[in-house]
Amino acid sequence: MKAKNILLKYNLSITTGRLNILEIFLNNEMALSEKDIQDKLIGVCDRATIYRTLKKFKDTGIVHPIATEGMITKYVLKKEPEEHLHFKCTDCGKIMCLPEVQMKNYELPSGFTKKESNFLVIGTCNNCNN
Ligand SMILES: [Zn+2]
Ligand SMILES: [Zn+2]
């Protein structure tokens, strides 16, 4: 899907900043932190715009956050199914979604409510294993 169509689908007005940031997500399989995006848009988008846009994308569900150890949140375009496995490679440091992995439905014990989930597997990715 094109960046413009994604904004339309989520009823967001089309701005250059949003298009620029969305393009980066579309061209990257890997999860990106706010800093990663800043680095890619030096001289194109200011930090405040990037911050606001990421928040908007998160609130509307265009991207989903992946919490990593070290408290840095990375973002990636939303995937189906909503709950899926994430993988972090300790060799190259990349974090990716693995929506193709089947996950069993689970139920929390009574008294627990879910706000978000974040399944992270740590290991070596297929690239680094080659
Ligand atoms: Zn790797
Ligand atoms: Zn994911």
Side-chain angles (χ1 to χ4, degrees), residues 87-94 96 123-129:
F87 192 90
K88 177 177 175 167
C89 177
T90 49
D91 282 29
C92 62
K94 282 176 177 164
M96 55 205 98
T124 316
C125 77
N126 53 351
N127 245 330
C128 294
N129 270 328

Side-chain angles (χ1 to χ4, degrees), residues 64-66 76-79 81-86 96-99 118:
H64 76 270
I66 307 169
V76 67
L77 285 181
K78 195 185 172 99
K79 300 268 170 21
E82 194 163 329
E83 282 199 322
H84 52 257
L85 216 61
H86 292 117
M96 55 205 98
C97 296
L98 295 176
N118 185 49

